Amino acid sequence: MRLALLACMVFLGACTSLEGDFEKAISFGVVTEVNDYSNQVDKSLYVRMYQAPVYEEQCFIETHGVCKYQYYLSVATFDEYPQTNLFTLTHQGEVTDINWLSSDEIDTATLQLTMSNYTAAALKNNPSLPVKKEVLRVTLTPHQIEEHN
């Protein structure tokens, strides 16, 4: 029950922050429970990743599809009155792997995201697309996000 209440509060808090963009993510996207990754790491925040398709590019040959995704991260503390926030990742593409890294800081999450510049479906459809993989380190608190390549 507490987890459902927390999820509801995160969802409602996130909707007020980025109404237009986040609407795409919850309407058409995929929600990833980031806390389910790296079970050996203690987590001091509740983090979800929302994946929204970006339809601005035409990378498919003779058909349509999603070339990239925009990602949003919702963050909440585990307090009785949790602090919540929603952040937009500046990098677009497709997250292929998530690792939660250990952190000694209170209410801080450090994630290592492996990203491709195009979706697997786009790369399969159009082999001429340039493939670029990068590892992105994301540090989250209820108040800020920092991204590092």
Side-chain angles (χ1 to χ4, degrees), residues 35-96:
N35 286 53
D36 292 345
Y37 288 81
S38 305
N39 291 330
Q40 68 279 8
V41 176
D42 290 331
K43 293 146 180 106
S44 61
L45 292 175
Y46 182 67
V47 180
R48 283 185 167 168
M49 182 185 311
Y50 300 86
Q51 170 184 296
V54 175
Y55 292 111
E56 298 166 358
E57 293 194 27
Q58 301 298 323
C59 63
F60 280 75
I61 300 172
E62 297 182 8
T63 187
H64 298 285
V66 177
C67 297
K68 296 180 178 186
Y69 293 105
Q70 176 67 60
Y71 289 94
Y72 304 90
L73 292 168
S74 66
V75 180
T77 60
F78 288 113
D79 302 334
E80 186 175 344
Y81 300 103
Q83 298 176 35
T84 63
N85 213 335
L86 178 69
F87 301 105
T88 305
L89 282 181
T90 57
H91 292 74
Q92 293 182 347
E94 183 174 45
V95 173
T96 57

Short mmCIF file of all heavy atoms in Angstrom, two decimals, residues 35-96:
data_model
loop_
_atom_site.label_atom_id
_atom_site.label_comp_id
_atom_site.label_asym_id
_atom_site.label_seq_id
_atom_site.Cartn_x
_atom_site.Cartn_y
_atom_site.Cartn_z
N ASN A 35 14.81 0.77 -9.71
CA ASN A 35 15.21 0.15 -8.44
C ASN A 35 15.32 -1.36 -8.54
O ASN A 35 15.93 -1.99 -7.69
CB ASN A 35 14.22 0.53 -7.33
CG ASN A 35 14.39 1.94 -6.87
OD1 ASN A 35 14.38 2.86 -7.68
ND2 ASN A 35 14.56 2.14 -5.59
N ASP A 36 14.76 -1.96 -9.58
CA ASP A 36 14.86 -3.41 -9.77
C ASP A 36 16.22 -3.84 -10.30
O ASP A 36 16.54 -5.02 -10.30
CB ASP A 36 13.77 -3.90 -10.73
CG ASP A 36 12.37 -3.77 -10.13
OD1 ASP A 36 12.25 -3.58 -8.90
OD2 ASP A 36 11.39 -3.85 -10.90
N TYR A 37 17.04 -2.89 -10.75
CA TYR A 37 18.36 -3.20 -11.28
C TYR A 37 19.39 -3.19 -10.16
O TYR A 37 19.25 -2.48 -9.18
CB TYR A 37 18.77 -2.19 -12.36
CG TYR A 37 18.00 -2.36 -13.64
CD1 TYR A 37 16.72 -1.84 -13.78
CD2 TYR A 37 18.55 -3.07 -14.70
CE1 TYR A 37 16.01 -2.01 -14.96
CE2 TYR A 37 17.84 -3.24 -15.87
CZ TYR A 37 16.58 -2.71 -16.00
OH TYR A 37 15.87 -2.89 -17.15
N SER A 38 20.45 -3.94 -10.33
CA SER A 38 21.59 -3.99 -9.40
C SER A 38 21.12 -4.22 -7.97
O SER A 38 21.29 -3.39 -7.08
CB SER A 38 22.41 -2.69 -9.48
OG SER A 38 22.83 -2.44 -10.79
N ASN A 39 20.56 -5.39 -7.72
CA ASN A 39 19.98 -5.71 -6.42
C ASN A 39 20.98 -5.67 -5.27
O ASN A 39 20.58 -5.53 -4.11
CB ASN A 39 19.30 -7.07 -6.46
CG ASN A 39 18.06 -7.04 -7.32
OD1 ASN A 39 17.40 -6.01 -7.42
ND2 ASN A 39 17.75 -8.15 -7.96
N GLN A 40 22.27 -5.81 -5.54
CA GLN A 40 23.27 -5.81 -4.48
C GLN A 40 23.55 -4.42 -3.94
O GLN A 40 24.20 -4.27 -2.91
CB GLN A 40 24.58 -6.46 -4.96
CG GLN A 40 25.33 -5.68 -6.01
CD GLN A 40 24.80 -5.84 -7.43
OE1 GLN A 40 23.75 -6.45 -7.67
NE2 GLN A 40 25.51 -5.29 -8.39
N VAL A 41 23.04 -3.36 -4.58
CA VAL A 41 23.28 -1.99 -4.16
C VAL A 41 22.08 -1.49 -3.34
O VAL A 41 20.94 -1.63 -3.77
CB VAL A 41 23.50 -1.06 -5.39
CG1 VAL A 41 23.66 0.37 -4.96
CG2 VAL A 41 24.70 -1.53 -6.19
N ASP A 42 22.36 -0.91 -2.15
CA ASP A 42 21.30 -0.31 -1.35
C ASP A 42 20.87 1.00 -2.00
O ASP A 42 21.70 1.81 -2.40
CB ASP A 42 21.79 -0.02 0.07
CG ASP A 42 21.99 -1.30 0.86
OD1 ASP A 42 21.28 -2.29 0.59
OD2 ASP A 42 22.86 -1.30 1.74
N LYS A 43 19.56 1.21 -2.07
CA LYS A 43 19.03 2.39 -2.75
C LYS A 43 18.35 3.32 -1.76
O LYS A 43 17.53 2.88 -0.97
CB LYS A 43 18.07 1.95 -3.84
CG LYS A 43 18.80 1.23 -4.95
CD LYS A 43 17.97 0.13 -5.56
CE LYS A 43 18.75 -0.56 -6.65
NZ LYS A 43 19.21 -1.84 -6.27
N SER A 44 18.70 4.60 -1.83
CA SER A 44 18.09 5.57 -0.93
C SER A 44 17.03 6.42 -1.62
O SER A 44 16.44 7.30 -1.00
CB SER A 44 19.17 6.48 -0.32
OG SER A 44 19.84 7.20 -1.34
N LEU A 45 16.80 6.16 -2.91
CA LEU A 45 15.77 6.87 -3.67
C LEU A 45 14.95 5.87 -4.47
O LEU A 45 15.42 4.79 -4.81
CB LEU A 45 16.41 7.87 -4.65
CG LEU A 45 17.12 9.08 -4.06
CD1 LEU A 45 17.79 9.87 -5.17
CD2 LEU A 45 16.14 9.96 -3.30
N TYR A 46 13.73 6.27 -4.78
CA TYR A 46 12.88 5.48 -5.67
C TYR A 46 12.95 6.15 -7.04
O TYR A 46 12.58 7.31 -7.20
CB TYR A 46 11.44 5.47 -5.13
CG TYR A 46 10.51 4.63 -5.95
CD1 TYR A 46 10.66 3.25 -6.01
CD2 TYR A 46 9.47 5.20 -6.66
CE1 TYR A 46 9.80 2.47 -6.76
CE2 TYR A 46 8.61 4.43 -7.40
CZ TYR A 46 8.78 3.07 -7.45
OH TYR A 46 7.93 2.30 -8.20
N VAL A 47 13.47 5.41 -8.05
CA VAL A 47 13.70 5.98 -9.38
C VAL A 47 12.96 5.16 -10.43
O VAL A 47 13.02 3.94 -10.44
CB VAL A 47 15.22 6.01 -9.71
CG1 VAL A 47 15.46 6.61 -11.09
CG2 VAL A 47 15.99 6.76 -8.65
N ARG A 48 12.27 5.88 -11.31
CA ARG A 48 11.63 5.28 -12.48
C ARG A 48 12.12 6.00 -13.73
O ARG A 48 12.36 7.20 -13.70
CB ARG A 48 10.12 5.43 -12.42
CG ARG A 48 9.44 4.49 -11.49
CD ARG A 48 7.95 4.67 -11.62
NE ARG A 48 7.26 3.59 -10.97
CZ ARG A 48 5.97 3.59 -10.72
NH1 ARG A 48 5.23 4.61 -11.09
NH2 ARG A 48 5.40 2.57 -10.13
N MET A 49 12.22 5.25 -14.82
CA MET A 49 12.59 5.83 -16.10
C MET A 49 11.41 5.69 -17.06
O MET A 49 10.86 4.61 -17.21
CB MET A 49 13.82 5.12 -16.69
CG MET A 49 14.26 5.73 -18.00
SD MET A 49 15.61 4.85 -18.81
CE MET A 49 16.78 4.68 -17.51
N TYR A 50 11.06 6.79 -17.68
CA TYR A 50 9.97 6.82 -18.66
C TYR A 50 10.58 7.05 -20.03
O TYR A 50 11.37 7.96 -20.23
CB TYR A 50 8.99 7.95 -18.33
CG TYR A 50 8.36 7.80 -16.97
CD1 TYR A 50 9.00 8.30 -15.84
CD2 TYR A 50 7.15 7.15 -16.80
CE1 TYR A 50 8.45 8.16 -14.58
CE2 TYR A 50 6.59 7.01 -15.54
CZ TYR A 50 7.24 7.52 -14.44
OH TYR A 50 6.70 7.37 -13.19
N GLN A 51 10.18 6.22 -20.98
CA GLN A 51 10.74 6.26 -22.33
C GLN A 51 9.66 6.72 -23.28
O GLN A 51 8.61 6.09 -23.41
CB GLN A 51 11.20 4.84 -22.67
CG GLN A 51 11.59 4.60 -24.09
CD GLN A 51 11.93 3.14 -24.29
OE1 GLN A 51 12.87 2.64 -23.70
NE2 GLN A 51 11.15 2.45 -25.10
N ALA A 52 9.88 7.84 -23.96
CA ALA A 52 8.90 8.38 -24.91
C ALA A 52 9.50 8.39 -26.31
O ALA A 52 10.64 8.82 -26.50
CB ALA A 52 8.51 9.80 -24.51
N PRO A 53 8.75 7.93 -27.30
CA PRO A 53 9.28 7.93 -28.67
C PRO A 53 9.45 9.34 -29.20
O PRO A 53 8.67 10.24 -28.92
CB PRO A 53 8.21 7.17 -29.45
CG PRO A 53 6.98 7.23 -28.63
CD PRO A 53 7.41 7.39 -27.21
N VAL A 54 10.52 9.52 -29.99
CA VAL A 54 10.78 10.78 -30.68
C VAL A 54 10.48 10.54 -32.15
O VAL A 54 11.10 9.69 -32.78
CB VAL A 54 12.25 11.22 -30.50
CG1 VAL A 54 12.55 12.47 -31.30
CG2 VAL A 54 12.55 11.45 -29.02
N TYR A 55 9.52 11.28 -32.71
CA TYR A 55 9.09 11.04 -34.09
C TYR A 55 9.63 12.08 -35.07
O TYR A 55 9.16 12.17 -36.18
CB TYR A 55 7.56 11.03 -34.16
CG TYR A 55 6.95 9.85 -33.46
CD1 TYR A 55 6.22 10.02 -32.29
CD2 TYR A 55 7.11 8.56 -33.94
CE1 TYR A 55 5.65 8.94 -31.64
CE2 TYR A 55 6.56 7.47 -33.29
CZ TYR A 55 5.82 7.68 -32.15
OH TYR A 55 5.27 6.61 -31.51
N GLU A 56 10.62 12.85 -34.69
CA GLU A 56 11.10 13.93 -35.54
C GLU A 56 12.07 13.47 -36.63
O GLU A 56 12.33 14.20 -37.56
CB GLU A 56 11.78 14.99 -34.68
CG GLU A 56 10.84 15.61 -33.68
CD GLU A 56 11.57 16.40 -32.62
OE1 GLU A 56 12.81 16.44 -32.61
OE2 GLU A 56 10.88 16.97 -31.77
N GLU A 57 12.63 12.29 -36.53
CA GLU A 57 13.63 11.84 -37.48
C GLU A 57 13.06 10.77 -38.41
O GLU A 57 12.12 10.08 -38.08
CB GLU A 57 14.83 11.27 -36.74
CG GLU A 57 15.59 12.31 -35.96
CD GLU A 57 16.94 11.81 -35.52
OE1 GLU A 57 17.50 10.92 -36.20
OE2 GLU A 57 17.42 12.30 -34.50
N GLN A 58 13.68 10.68 -39.58
CA GLN A 58 13.27 9.70 -40.59
C GLN A 58 14.46 8.79 -40.88
O GLN A 58 15.16 8.96 -41.86
CB GLN A 58 12.80 10.41 -41.86
CG GLN A 58 11.65 11.34 -41.66
CD GLN A 58 10.40 10.62 -41.17
OE1 GLN A 58 10.11 9.49 -41.58
NE2 GLN A 58 9.66 11.25 -40.28
N CYS A 59 14.69 7.83 -40.03
CA CYS A 59 15.85 6.95 -40.20
C CYS A 59 15.48 5.61 -40.82
O CYS A 59 16.35 4.85 -41.22
CB CYS A 59 16.56 6.74 -38.87
SG CYS A 59 15.55 5.91 -37.65
N PHE A 60 14.19 5.30 -40.92
CA PHE A 60 13.75 4.03 -41.48
C PHE A 60 13.67 4.13 -43.00
O PHE A 60 13.35 5.17 -43.55
CB PHE A 60 12.38 3.64 -40.91
CG PHE A 60 12.45 3.02 -39.55
CD1 PHE A 60 12.70 3.80 -38.43
CD2 PHE A 60 12.28 1.66 -39.38
CE1 PHE A 60 12.77 3.23 -37.17
CE2 PHE A 60 12.35 1.08 -38.13
CZ PHE A 60 12.59 1.87 -37.02
N ILE A 61 13.95 3.03 -43.68
CA ILE A 61 13.88 2.97 -45.13
C ILE A 61 12.51 2.44 -45.54
O ILE A 61 12.13 1.33 -45.15
CB ILE A 61 14.99 2.05 -45.70
CG1 ILE A 61 16.36 2.59 -45.31
CG2 ILE A 61 14.87 1.92 -47.21
CD1 ILE A 61 17.51 1.66 -45.64
N GLU A 62 11.75 3.22 -46.30
CA GLU A 62 10.46 2.85 -46.87
C GLU A 62 9.43 2.40 -45.83
O GLU A 62 8.52 1.64 -46.16
CB GLU A 62 10.64 1.77 -47.93
CG GLU A 62 11.46 2.23 -49.11
CD GLU A 62 11.60 1.17 -50.18
OE1 GLU A 62 10.92 0.12 -50.07
OE2 GLU A 62 12.38 1.37 -51.11
N THR A 63 9.59 2.81 -44.61
CA THR A 63 8.60 2.51 -43.57
C THR A 63 8.78 3.52 -42.45
O THR A 63 9.62 4.40 -42.53
CB THR A 63 8.76 1.05 -43.06
OG1 THR A 63 7.69 0.76 -42.17
CG2 THR A 63 10.08 0.85 -42.36
N HIS A 64 7.98 3.40 -41.42
CA HIS A 64 8.06 4.31 -40.29
C HIS A 64 8.40 3.53 -39.03
O HIS A 64 8.06 2.37 -38.90
CB HIS A 64 6.73 5.05 -40.08
CG HIS A 64 6.35 5.89 -41.24
ND1 HIS A 64 6.95 7.09 -41.53
CD2 HIS A 64 5.42 5.71 -42.21
CE1 HIS A 64 6.42 7.61 -42.60
NE2 HIS A 64 5.48 6.80 -43.05
N GLY A 65 9.04 4.20 -38.10
CA GLY A 65 9.38 3.58 -36.83
C GLY A 65 10.00 4.61 -35.91
O GLY A 65 10.19 5.78 -36.27
N VAL A 66 10.32 4.18 -34.72
CA VAL A 66 10.93 5.06 -33.73
C VAL A 66 12.44 5.01 -33.88
O VAL A 66 13.05 3.95 -33.73
CB VAL A 66 10.51 4.65 -32.30
CG1 VAL A 66 11.19 5.52 -31.26
CG2 VAL A 66 9.00 4.70 -32.15
N CYS A 67 13.03 6.16 -34.18
CA CYS A 67 14.48 6.25 -34.34
C CYS A 67 15.18 6.42 -33.00
O CYS A 67 16.26 5.89 -32.79
CB CYS A 67 14.85 7.44 -35.23
SG CYS A 67 14.22 7.29 -36.91
N LYS A 68 14.57 7.20 -32.11
CA LYS A 68 15.17 7.52 -30.81
C LYS A 68 14.08 7.62 -29.76
O LYS A 68 12.91 7.77 -30.07
CB LYS A 68 15.91 8.86 -30.87
CG LYS A 68 17.07 8.91 -31.79
CD LYS A 68 17.71 10.28 -31.77
CE LYS A 68 18.92 10.29 -32.69
NZ LYS A 68 19.66 11.53 -32.62
N TYR A 69 14.52 7.59 -28.51
CA TYR A 69 13.63 7.82 -27.38
C TYR A 69 14.15 8.99 -26.56
O TYR A 69 15.34 9.21 -26.45
CB TYR A 69 13.56 6.59 -26.46
CG TYR A 69 12.91 5.39 -27.10
CD1 TYR A 69 13.67 4.31 -27.52
CD2 TYR A 69 11.53 5.35 -27.28
CE1 TYR A 69 13.07 3.21 -28.11
CE2 TYR A 69 10.92 4.25 -27.86
CZ TYR A 69 11.70 3.18 -28.28
OH TYR A 69 11.10 2.10 -28.86
N GLN A 70 13.21 9.71 -25.98
CA GLN A 70 13.52 10.73 -24.97
C GLN A 70 13.25 10.07 -23.63
O GLN A 70 12.25 9.37 -23.47
CB GLN A 70 12.62 11.95 -25.14
CG GLN A 70 12.81 13.02 -24.09
CD GLN A 70 14.17 13.68 -24.20
OE1 GLN A 70 14.49 14.27 -25.21
NE2 GLN A 70 14.96 13.58 -23.15
N TYR A 71 14.12 10.29 -22.66
CA TYR A 71 13.97 9.65 -21.35
C TYR A 71 13.73 10.68 -20.27
O TYR A 71 14.30 11.77 -20.27
CB TYR A 71 15.23 8.84 -21.02
CG TYR A 71 15.35 7.61 -21.87
CD1 TYR A 71 16.10 7.62 -23.04
CD2 TYR A 71 14.69 6.44 -21.53
CE1 TYR A 71 16.20 6.49 -23.83
CE2 TYR A 71 14.77 5.32 -22.32
CZ TYR A 71 15.53 5.35 -23.47
OH TYR A 71 15.61 4.22 -24.26
N TYR A 72 12.88 10.30 -19.33
CA TYR A 72 12.55 11.09 -18.15
C TYR A 72 12.81 10.21 -16.93
O TYR A 72 12.51 9.03 -16.95
CB TYR A 72 11.09 11.53 -18.16
CG TYR A 72 10.72 12.28 -19.41
CD1 TYR A 72 10.23 11.61 -20.53
CD2 TYR A 72 10.87 13.66 -19.48
CE1 TYR A 72 9.91 12.30 -21.68
CE2 TYR A 72 10.54 14.35 -20.64
CZ TYR A 72 10.06 13.66 -21.73
OH TYR A 72 9.76 14.34 -22.87
N LEU A 73 13.37 10.80 -15.90
CA LEU A 73 13.62 10.07 -14.65
C LEU A 73 12.83 10.73 -13.53
O LEU A 73 12.99 11.93 -13.28
CB LEU A 73 15.11 10.09 -14.31
CG LEU A 73 16.01 9.31 -15.25
CD1 LEU A 73 17.47 9.63 -15.00
CD2 LEU A 73 15.77 7.82 -15.08
N SER A 74 11.97 9.96 -12.88
CA SER A 74 11.28 10.47 -11.71
C SER A 74 12.02 9.97 -10.48
O SER A 74 12.51 8.84 -10.45
CB SER A 74 9.81 10.02 -11.68
OG SER A 74 9.71 8.63 -11.54
N VAL A 75 12.11 10.83 -9.49
CA VAL A 75 12.87 10.54 -8.28
C VAL A 75 11.99 10.84 -7.08
O VAL A 75 11.28 11.85 -7.06
CB VAL A 75 14.14 11.43 -8.21
CG1 VAL A 75 14.94 11.15 -6.97
CG2 VAL A 75 14.98 11.25 -9.45
N ALA A 76 12.05 9.98 -6.08
CA ALA A 76 11.32 10.21 -4.83
C ALA A 76 12.12 9.65 -3.67
O ALA A 76 12.79 8.62 -3.79
CB ALA A 76 9.95 9.53 -4.88
N THR A 77 12.05 10.34 -2.55
CA THR A 77 12.67 9.84 -1.33
C THR A 77 11.72 8.83 -0.70
O THR A 77 10.55 8.75 -1.06
CB THR A 77 12.95 10.98 -0.34
OG1 THR A 77 11.73 11.62 -0.01
CG2 THR A 77 13.93 11.99 -0.94
N PHE A 78 12.21 8.07 0.25
CA PHE A 78 11.40 7.08 0.94
C PHE A 78 10.84 7.64 2.26
O PHE A 78 10.48 6.88 3.15
CB PHE A 78 12.21 5.81 1.22
CG PHE A 78 12.49 5.01 -0.02
CD1 PHE A 78 13.78 4.89 -0.49
CD2 PHE A 78 11.47 4.38 -0.71
CE1 PHE A 78 14.06 4.14 -1.63
CE2 PHE A 78 11.73 3.64 -1.84
CZ PHE A 78 13.03 3.52 -2.31
N ASP A 79 10.77 8.95 2.40
CA ASP A 79 10.29 9.57 3.63
C ASP A 79 8.78 9.45 3.76
O ASP A 79 8.08 9.06 2.83
CB ASP A 79 10.66 11.07 3.63
CG ASP A 79 12.16 11.30 3.49
OD1 ASP A 79 12.92 10.40 3.89
OD2 ASP A 79 12.54 12.36 2.99
N GLU A 80 8.30 9.83 4.95
CA GLU A 80 6.85 9.84 5.18
C GLU A 80 6.18 10.84 4.24
O GLU A 80 5.09 10.60 3.74
CB GLU A 80 6.56 10.20 6.63
CG GLU A 80 5.09 10.10 6.97
CD GLU A 80 4.84 10.34 8.45
OE1 GLU A 80 5.80 10.29 9.25
OE2 GLU A 80 3.67 10.58 8.79
N TYR A 81 6.82 11.98 4.02
CA TYR A 81 6.36 12.98 3.06
C TYR A 81 7.46 13.10 2.01
O TYR A 81 8.33 13.96 2.10
CB TYR A 81 6.11 14.33 3.74
CG TYR A 81 5.07 14.24 4.81
CD1 TYR A 81 5.41 14.22 6.16
CD2 TYR A 81 3.72 14.14 4.48
CE1 TYR A 81 4.46 14.12 7.15
CE2 TYR A 81 2.75 14.04 5.46
CZ TYR A 81 3.12 14.03 6.80
OH TYR A 81 2.16 13.92 7.76
N PRO A 82 7.43 12.24 1.00
CA PRO A 82 8.57 12.17 0.07
C PRO A 82 8.73 13.43 -0.77
O PRO A 82 7.76 14.07 -1.17
CB PRO A 82 8.24 10.98 -0.81
CG PRO A 82 6.79 10.76 -0.65
CD PRO A 82 6.39 11.30 0.68
N GLN A 83 9.99 13.75 -1.02
CA GLN A 83 10.32 14.80 -1.98
C GLN A 83 10.35 14.13 -3.34
O GLN A 83 10.91 13.04 -3.49
CB GLN A 83 11.68 15.40 -1.67
CG GLN A 83 11.79 16.06 -0.33
CD GLN A 83 13.21 16.53 -0.08
OE1 GLN A 83 13.91 16.95 -0.99
NE2 GLN A 83 13.65 16.44 1.16
N THR A 84 9.77 14.75 -4.34
CA THR A 84 9.71 14.16 -5.67
C THR A 84 10.18 15.18 -6.70
O THR A 84 10.13 16.39 -6.47
CB THR A 84 8.28 13.71 -6.03
OG1 THR A 84 7.43 14.86 -6.07
CG2 THR A 84 7.75 12.71 -5.04
N ASN A 85 10.61 14.66 -7.83
CA ASN A 85 10.99 15.52 -8.94
C ASN A 85 11.02 14.69 -10.21
O ASN A 85 11.10 13.46 -10.16
CB ASN A 85 12.35 16.17 -8.69
CG ASN A 85 12.44 17.56 -9.30
OD1 ASN A 85 11.73 17.88 -10.26
ND2 ASN A 85 13.30 18.38 -8.75
N LEU A 86 10.98 15.38 -11.34
CA LEU A 86 11.05 14.74 -12.65
C LEU A 86 12.12 15.47 -13.45
O LEU A 86 12.12 16.70 -13.51
CB LEU A 86 9.71 14.82 -13.37
CG LEU A 86 9.68 14.23 -14.77
CD1 LEU A 86 9.81 12.72 -14.72
CD2 LEU A 86 8.39 14.62 -15.46
N PHE A 87 13.02 14.69 -14.06
CA PHE A 87 14.10 15.26 -14.85
C PHE A 87 14.08 14.67 -16.25
O PHE A 87 13.69 13.53 -16.45
CB PHE A 87 15.45 14.94 -14.21
CG PHE A 87 15.59 15.46 -12.81
CD1 PHE A 87 15.50 14.61 -11.72
CD2 PHE A 87 15.81 16.80 -12.57
CE1 PHE A 87 15.63 15.08 -10.44
CE2 PHE A 87 15.96 17.29 -11.28
CZ PHE A 87 15.86 16.42 -10.21
N THR A 88 14.55 15.45 -17.20
CA THR A 88 14.67 15.02 -18.58
C THR A 88 16.15 14.77 -18.89
O THR A 88 16.98 15.63 -18.62
CB THR A 88 14.15 16.10 -19.55
OG1 THR A 88 12.81 16.43 -19.20
CG2 THR A 88 14.19 15.62 -20.99
N LEU A 89 16.47 13.60 -19.42
CA LEU A 89 17.84 13.35 -19.86
C LEU A 89 18.10 14.17 -21.11
O LEU A 89 17.25 14.26 -21.99
CB LEU A 89 18.05 11.87 -20.19
CG LEU A 89 18.23 10.90 -19.04
CD1 LEU A 89 18.46 9.49 -19.58
CD2 LEU A 89 19.38 11.29 -18.15
N THR A 90 19.28 14.74 -21.21
CA THR A 90 19.62 15.52 -22.40
C THR A 90 19.99 14.60 -23.56
O THR A 90 19.87 15.00 -24.72
CB THR A 90 20.80 16.48 -22.13
OG1 THR A 90 21.92 15.73 -21.68
CG2 THR A 90 20.41 17.51 -21.09
N HIS A 91 20.42 13.38 -23.28
CA HIS A 91 20.80 12.42 -24.32
C HIS A 91 19.56 11.68 -24.81
O HIS A 91 18.72 11.27 -24.00
CB HIS A 91 21.82 11.42 -23.79
CG HIS A 91 23.15 12.03 -23.49
ND1 HIS A 91 23.36 12.83 -22.40
CD2 HIS A 91 24.32 11.95 -24.16
CE1 HIS A 91 24.62 13.23 -22.40
NE2 HIS A 91 25.22 12.70 -23.45
N GLN A 92 19.47 11.50 -26.11
CA GLN A 92 18.39 10.72 -26.71
C GLN A 92 19.01 9.51 -27.41
O GLN A 92 20.17 9.51 -27.75
CB GLN A 92 17.61 11.55 -27.72
CG GLN A 92 16.83 12.68 -27.12
CD GLN A 92 16.04 13.44 -28.17
OE1 GLN A 92 16.23 13.30 -29.36
NE2 GLN A 92 15.12 14.28 -27.70
N GLY A 93 18.19 8.50 -27.63
CA GLY A 93 18.64 7.28 -28.28
C GLY A 93 17.88 6.12 -27.69
O GLY A 93 16.65 6.18 -27.55
N GLU A 94 18.60 5.06 -27.32
CA GLU A 94 17.97 3.91 -26.67
C GLU A 94 18.89 3.41 -25.56
O GLU A 94 20.07 3.13 -25.81
CB GLU A 94 17.71 2.80 -27.68
CG GLU A 94 16.99 1.61 -27.06
CD GLU A 94 16.59 0.56 -28.09
OE1 GLU A 94 17.42 0.22 -28.95
OE2 GLU A 94 15.45 0.10 -28.01
N VAL A 95 18.36 3.33 -24.36
CA VAL A 95 19.11 2.78 -23.23
C VAL A 95 19.13 1.27 -23.38
O VAL A 95 18.09 0.63 -23.47
CB VAL A 95 18.47 3.19 -21.88
CG1 VAL A 95 19.15 2.47 -20.73
CG2 VAL A 95 18.54 4.69 -21.68
N THR A 96 20.34 0.71 -23.43
CA THR A 96 20.48 -0.73 -23.62
C THR A 96 20.87 -1.45 -22.33
O THR A 96 20.75 -2.67 -22.26
CB THR A 96 21.53 -1.03 -24.72
OG1 THR A 96 22.77 -0.44 -24.36
CG2 THR A 96 21.06 -0.50 -26.06
#
